[in-house]
Each structure stands twice: as structure tokens, then as C-alpha cells.
């Protein structure tokens, strides 16, 4: 991402660097979307909506920041600053996830009825199911 600020006036190289940064950024999307369901399986859609709302704030703040940095200052250094800010945000977000993210189902998201009656038996008879012990594995 930062390399796009160092390619000078070569449009093809700049476009390639930006395309690569978007492609590598897209690799994080599957993990991000799954974490909502892992944290709260019953509320995954609601959590995704909330986090997506806050995530879209960048969509209207970014043009303001870029405009402030580059208005009447269309220099390579100004655009390098823009790209460094973007890279810093990516690194900060990645570090926060590495340090704080846990994917255990949260207590507030658990079904209280499921905790009282865990699904470890036959619902029709109420008898617990026992696995047959065998010496072979499939």
C-alpha cells in the first residue's frame, strides 16, 4: 500500500500497487465476517450490522483527510503521507485483533434454555446417548 506513493508518475505501477493492496486487504474479509458468528451465533447478523456501520465511517472521513492533506499540495510527499496513514490504520487494527480478539461464545449471547438442557441426548425419550466403542476408525 505504501509503495504506491513511491512509484512516481508511473500510472501502471501505481495502479498495480493499489490493486495489490486491495487484493491483500480482501484476504482479511472472511475472518472478519466469521468472527461475528463465533462470538454470538444467535446475533451474528446484528453484530455484523453494528460493526459495518462503524466501519463505514471511514468512507466519509477518508476523503476529508485526503483533501486536507493534498488540497493545493499535489506532491509526492503529501500522497506518501496519505498512504502511510492508511498503512498505520491497517497495522493498528491488525495488532488490536491479535491482542484482544477471542472467539469464545460470549455469555450474553448464550441461549439460557440450552444451558439448562444441553443437547446431549435424545429429545424424544430424554435418554442420554452413549457412543458405541469400536476399535476401528473410519
Amino acid at each position: 500500500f505504501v509503495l504506491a506513493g513511491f512509484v512516481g508518475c508511473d500510472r501502471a505501477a501505481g495502479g498495480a500497487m493499489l490493486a495489490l493492496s486491495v487484493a491483500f486487504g480482501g484476504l482479511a474479509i472472511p475472518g472478519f465476517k466469521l468472527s461475528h458468528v463465533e462470538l454470538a451465533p444467535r446475533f451474528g447478523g446484528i453484530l455484523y450490522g453494528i460493526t459495518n456501520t462503524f466501519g463505514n465511517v471511514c468512507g466519509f472521513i477518508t476523503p476529508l483527510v485526503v483533501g486536507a492533506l493534498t488540497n493545493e499540495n499535489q506532491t509526492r510527499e503529501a500522497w506518501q503521507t496519505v498512504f502511510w496513514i492508511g498503512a498505520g490504520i491497517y497495522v493498528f487494527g491488525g495488532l488490536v485483533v491479535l491482542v484482544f480478539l477471542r472467539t469464545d461464545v460470549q455469555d450474553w449471547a448464550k441461549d439460557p434454555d440450552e444451558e439448562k438442557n444441553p443437547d446431549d441426548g435424545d429429545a424424544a425419550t430424554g435418554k442420554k446417548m452413549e457412543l458405541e466403542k469400536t476399535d476401528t476408525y473410519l
Side-chain angles (χ1 to χ4, degrees):
F1 187 68
V2 174
L3 293 177
F6 292 94
V7 296
C9 295
D10 186 355
R11 290 184 181 186
M17 293 298 132
L18 289 175
L20 283 173
S21 70
V22 170
F24 283 117
L27 294 174
I29 300 297
F32 165 72
K33 290 186 177 184
L34 280 177
S35 65
H36 298 93
V37 176
E38 290 177 343
L39 291 172
R42 295 176 45 220
F43 304 107
I46 294 169
L47 286 177
Y48 183 75
I50 292 169
T51 57
N52 200 31
T53 298
F54 288 107
N56 283 321
V57 169
C58 294
F60 62 85
I61 290 179
T62 299
L64 298 174
V65 172
V66 171
L69 292 172
T70 61
N71 189 26
E72 305 295 329
N73 186 23
Q74 293 290 324
T75 63
R76 181 184 297 178
E77 290 78 21
W79 282 100
Q80 287 174 348
T81 302
V82 169
F83 293 134
W84 278 111
I85 290 171
I89 291 170
Y90 264 105
V91 169
F92 176 75
L95 290 175
V96 167
V97 166
L98 286 174
V99 172
F100 294 110
L101 182 66
R102 302 291 177 261
T103 57
D104 301 328
V105 175
Q106 300 300 299
D107 292 334
W108 53 265
K110 292 180 181 174
D111 186 3
D113 294 333
E114 188 175 299
E115 288 181 11
K116 293 177 187 172
N117 301 318
D119 188 20
D120 58 359
D122 186 1
T125 63
K127 295 181 182 177
K128 289 191 174 189
M129 296 172 48
E130 293 184 24
L131 297 176
E132 183 180 323
K133 295 180 182 179
T134 61
D135 293 333
T136 60
Y137 297 95
L138 298 176

